[in-house]
Amino acid sequence: MTAVEPDEQAPSMAAGPAIRVGAPTERRNPLSVDLDLMSTREMLSVINEADRRVPGAVAAVLDEIAETVDLAVPALRGGHRVHYFGAGTSGRLGVLDVAELAPTFNSPRHWFCAHLAGGPDAMWQAVENVEDDDRAGAVEAAECVRSGDVVVGLAASGRTPYVLGALAASRAAGAATVLLCANPEAEAARSVDVFIGVDTGPEVITGSTRMKAGTAQKLVLNTFSTAVMVRLGRVYSNLMIDMVATNAKLRGRMISILVEATGCAEEICRRALDEADGDLKTALVSLVSGAEVSVARAALARSADQVRGALALLAS
């Protein structure tokens, strides 16, 4: 099997306009001055100490993340979509979050859509000037965003033109808009429905937003999309019940989840899963309620495939 590797071609240094950004991520961190003169262990300690700030910064914006979840859940239930628009590290993290949702939660692939400035090639290397093109973001949003959708802009500085262009076009189309950035004072905060400004401060390496800013964004996106999936019934208690068993490990995980959720013996869980044709939710509802598999399947169909709802129907 051939490994997927980044293109080795370096981005050119073509001349273009220069803009000095005043975001916190662009400021110099006094704690990492002379990082290149430190021992390896000292350097790692400085990076680790800086990283420790990130969970607290994310905790400070949980209310805003909750608002975003509460926008996305009814939107998805109503047949709409969630879009991520980003460039560079921010855009790549959006792609990663979307890529992990279907394998983890068996979510329909059209629910979440990631848009990366520069397209697929930008996953591996910088594509010249694409993040500075607000029109490109606006055009892309106009082509796919519809009224009722939720659009999340991802920009460490809070000012990336491609992202702001996409947000403006999305707002004009009737979508709810969210900006996630590492600049609590971003001017664009006034132009969106929800503003998530995570205060991660200056980076250990000045301007390297793949570090604290990127880590914070990964945590926020994980938190947001996971909470959305829980609210949409893709989790029972704290168990991952909406999964596709594509390998031996995942088939074994299904059995373990059934054992945990029902307290039944492994052999009983295996038999129930077989009778349900490998459908974990149907087997779970059948075992917990004591209903036949066909009855459990019908109850799930009547409750929008929600385990809690199906169990309530069978108990009434």
Side-chain angles (χ1 to χ4, degrees), residues 10 14 16 26 51 57 64 66 87 90 106 111-112 139 147 154 166 169 195 232 245 248 251 275 307 316:
E26 301 298 320
D51 286 343
E64 290 80 7
S90 296
N106 193 25
W111 274 7
F112 280 71
V139 168
S147 179
L154 310 172
F195 175 65
L232 290 171
R251 287 188 288 274
E275 292 174 356
V307 168
S316 61

Short mmCIF file of all heavy atoms in Angstrom, two decimals, residues 10 14 16 26 51 57 64 66 87 90 106 111-112 139 147 154 166 169 195 232 245 248 251 275 307 316:
data_model
loop_
_atom_site.label_atom_id
_atom_site.label_comp_id
_atom_site.label_asym_id
_atom_site.label_seq_id
_atom_site.Cartn_x
_atom_site.Cartn_y
_atom_site.Cartn_z
N ALA A 10 7.85 23.30 -2.13
CA ALA A 10 7.69 24.41 -1.18
C ALA A 10 6.91 25.53 -1.82
O ALA A 10 6.98 25.75 -3.03
CB ALA A 10 9.06 24.92 -0.75
N ALA A 14 6.27 34.49 -3.80
CA ALA A 14 5.82 35.55 -4.71
C ALA A 14 5.44 36.80 -3.92
O ALA A 14 4.85 36.73 -2.85
CB ALA A 14 4.62 35.06 -5.52
N GLY A 16 3.57 40.13 -2.74
CA GLY A 16 2.17 40.49 -2.62
C GLY A 16 2.04 41.49 -1.49
O GLY A 16 3.01 41.83 -0.81
N GLU A 26 -0.13 36.72 17.31
CA GLU A 26 1.01 37.29 16.59
C GLU A 26 1.99 38.00 17.53
O GLU A 26 3.05 38.47 17.08
CB GLU A 26 0.51 38.28 15.53
CG GLU A 26 -0.42 37.67 14.50
CD GLU A 26 0.25 36.57 13.68
OE1 GLU A 26 1.43 36.75 13.32
OE2 GLU A 26 -0.41 35.55 13.40
N ASP A 51 0.89 24.93 26.87
CA ASP A 51 -0.27 24.12 26.49
C ASP A 51 -1.25 23.96 27.65
O ASP A 51 -2.46 23.79 27.42
CB ASP A 51 0.18 22.73 26.03
CG ASP A 51 0.82 22.75 24.65
OD1 ASP A 51 0.63 23.75 23.92
OD2 ASP A 51 1.51 21.78 24.30
N ALA A 57 -8.77 28.11 28.87
CA ALA A 57 -9.27 29.08 27.90
C ALA A 57 -10.53 28.56 27.22
O ALA A 57 -11.48 29.31 26.96
CB ALA A 57 -8.19 29.38 26.86
N GLU A 64 -20.70 29.84 24.99
CA GLU A 64 -20.79 30.12 23.56
C GLU A 64 -20.81 28.82 22.75
O GLU A 64 -21.52 28.71 21.74
CB GLU A 64 -19.62 31.00 23.12
CG GLU A 64 -19.69 32.43 23.63
CD GLU A 64 -19.23 32.58 25.08
OE1 GLU A 64 -18.73 31.60 25.67
OE2 GLU A 64 -19.37 33.70 25.62
N ALA A 66 -22.06 26.05 23.85
CA ALA A 66 -23.41 25.53 24.08
C ALA A 66 -24.42 26.21 23.15
O ALA A 66 -25.32 25.55 22.61
CB ALA A 66 -23.81 25.72 25.54
N ALA A 87 -9.04 28.33 6.76
CA ALA A 87 -7.83 28.34 5.93
C ALA A 87 -6.65 27.87 6.78
O ALA A 87 -6.66 28.02 8.00
CB ALA A 87 -7.56 29.74 5.39
N SER A 90 -6.39 26.17 10.70
CA SER A 90 -7.79 26.21 11.11
C SER A 90 -8.66 25.38 10.18
O SER A 90 -9.49 24.58 10.62
CB SER A 90 -8.29 27.66 11.14
OG SER A 90 -7.60 28.43 12.09
N ASN A 106 -21.47 7.20 12.90
CA ASN A 106 -22.30 6.76 11.77
C ASN A 106 -23.25 7.87 11.33
O ASN A 106 -24.40 7.61 10.95
CB ASN A 106 -23.09 5.49 12.14
CG ASN A 106 -23.69 4.82 10.93
OD1 ASN A 106 -23.20 4.97 9.82
ND2 ASN A 106 -24.78 4.10 11.12
N TRP A 111 -24.41 15.85 6.84
CA TRP A 111 -24.69 16.69 8.01
C TRP A 111 -23.64 17.78 8.19
O TRP A 111 -23.96 18.93 8.44
CB TRP A 111 -24.76 15.83 9.27
CG TRP A 111 -26.10 15.23 9.52
CD1 TRP A 111 -27.19 15.26 8.70
CD2 TRP A 111 -26.49 14.49 10.69
NE1 TRP A 111 -28.24 14.58 9.29
CE2 TRP A 111 -27.85 14.11 10.50
CE3 TRP A 111 -25.84 14.12 11.86
CZ2 TRP A 111 -28.55 13.37 11.45
CZ3 TRP A 111 -26.54 13.38 12.81
CH2 TRP A 111 -27.88 13.01 12.61
N PHE A 112 -22.37 17.40 8.14
CA PHE A 112 -21.26 18.34 8.34
C PHE A 112 -20.45 18.42 7.06
O PHE A 112 -20.13 17.40 6.45
CB PHE A 112 -20.34 17.87 9.48
CG PHE A 112 -20.85 18.19 10.86
CD1 PHE A 112 -21.95 17.51 11.38
CD2 PHE A 112 -20.22 19.14 11.65
CE1 PHE A 112 -22.42 17.79 12.66
CE2 PHE A 112 -20.68 19.42 12.93
CZ PHE A 112 -21.79 18.74 13.43
N VAL A 139 -18.16 33.18 -2.65
CA VAL A 139 -18.68 32.38 -3.77
C VAL A 139 -18.93 30.94 -3.34
O VAL A 139 -19.97 30.35 -3.66
CB VAL A 139 -17.70 32.43 -4.97
CG1 VAL A 139 -18.06 31.39 -6.01
CG2 VAL A 139 -17.69 33.82 -5.58
N SER A 147 -30.51 28.71 3.62
CA SER A 147 -31.19 29.25 4.78
C SER A 147 -31.51 28.12 5.76
O SER A 147 -31.98 27.06 5.35
CB SER A 147 -32.49 29.93 4.35
OG SER A 147 -33.20 30.43 5.47
N LEU A 154 -13.64 29.42 10.92
CA LEU A 154 -12.47 29.03 11.71
C LEU A 154 -11.29 29.90 11.30
O LEU A 154 -10.79 29.80 10.17
CB LEU A 154 -12.14 27.55 11.48
CG LEU A 154 -13.31 26.56 11.62
CD1 LEU A 154 -12.89 25.16 11.18
CD2 LEU A 154 -13.81 26.53 13.06
N ALA A 166 -17.01 34.14 3.54
CA ALA A 166 -17.95 33.02 3.62
C ALA A 166 -19.04 33.30 4.65
O ALA A 166 -20.22 33.01 4.44
CB ALA A 166 -17.21 31.74 3.96
N ALA A 169 -21.58 35.93 3.25
CA ALA A 169 -22.47 35.34 2.25
C ALA A 169 -23.46 34.39 2.91
O ALA A 169 -24.63 34.30 2.50
CB ALA A 169 -21.66 34.63 1.19
N PHE A 195 -20.10 34.30 18.85
CA PHE A 195 -18.66 34.53 18.76
C PHE A 195 -17.95 33.73 19.83
O PHE A 195 -18.25 33.85 21.02
CB PHE A 195 -18.34 36.02 18.94
CG PHE A 195 -16.87 36.33 18.98
CD1 PHE A 195 -16.08 36.10 17.86
CD2 PHE A 195 -16.28 36.81 20.14
CE1 PHE A 195 -14.71 36.37 17.90
CE2 PHE A 195 -14.92 37.09 20.18
CZ PHE A 195 -14.13 36.87 19.05
N LEU A 232 -28.33 14.36 19.35
CA LEU A 232 -29.06 13.72 18.26
C LEU A 232 -29.24 12.22 18.46
O LEU A 232 -29.66 11.51 17.54
CB LEU A 232 -28.35 14.00 16.93
CG LEU A 232 -28.43 15.46 16.46
CD1 LEU A 232 -27.52 15.69 15.26
CD2 LEU A 232 -29.86 15.85 16.12
N ALA A 245 -19.48 -1.50 12.33
CA ALA A 245 -18.40 -2.43 12.66
C ALA A 245 -17.68 -2.84 11.38
O ALA A 245 -18.07 -3.79 10.70
CB ALA A 245 -18.96 -3.65 13.38
N ALA A 248 -12.58 -6.22 13.11
CA ALA A 248 -12.76 -7.12 14.26
C ALA A 248 -12.81 -6.35 15.58
O ALA A 248 -13.58 -6.69 16.48
CB ALA A 248 -11.64 -8.16 14.28
N ARG A 251 -16.23 -4.83 15.94
CA ARG A 251 -17.24 -5.85 16.23
C ARG A 251 -17.16 -6.28 17.69
O ARG A 251 -18.18 -6.47 18.36
CB ARG A 251 -17.08 -7.05 15.29
CG ARG A 251 -17.52 -6.76 13.86
CD ARG A 251 -17.53 -8.00 13.00
NE ARG A 251 -16.19 -8.47 12.66
CZ ARG A 251 -15.49 -8.04 11.62
NH1 ARG A 251 -15.99 -7.11 10.81
NH2 ARG A 251 -14.28 -8.51 11.37
N GLU A 275 -29.35 -11.64 15.94
CA GLU A 275 -30.78 -11.59 15.60
C GLU A 275 -31.18 -10.22 15.04
O GLU A 275 -32.12 -10.12 14.24
CB GLU A 275 -31.62 -11.90 16.84
CG GLU A 275 -31.51 -13.35 17.31
CD GLU A 275 -32.24 -13.59 18.62
OE1 GLU A 275 -32.76 -12.61 19.19
OE2 GLU A 275 -32.26 -14.75 19.07
N VAL A 307 -32.73 5.75 20.91
CA VAL A 307 -32.85 4.63 21.86
C VAL A 307 -33.72 5.01 23.05
O VAL A 307 -34.62 4.24 23.44
CB VAL A 307 -31.45 4.18 22.34
CG1 VAL A 307 -31.56 3.23 23.53
CG2 VAL A 307 -30.71 3.50 21.20
N SER A 316 -44.42 2.31 27.81
CA SER A 316 -45.72 2.95 28.05
C SER A 316 -46.89 2.04 27.68
O SER A 316 -46.76 1.08 26.98
CB SER A 316 -45.81 4.24 27.24
OG SER A 316 -45.72 3.97 25.86
#
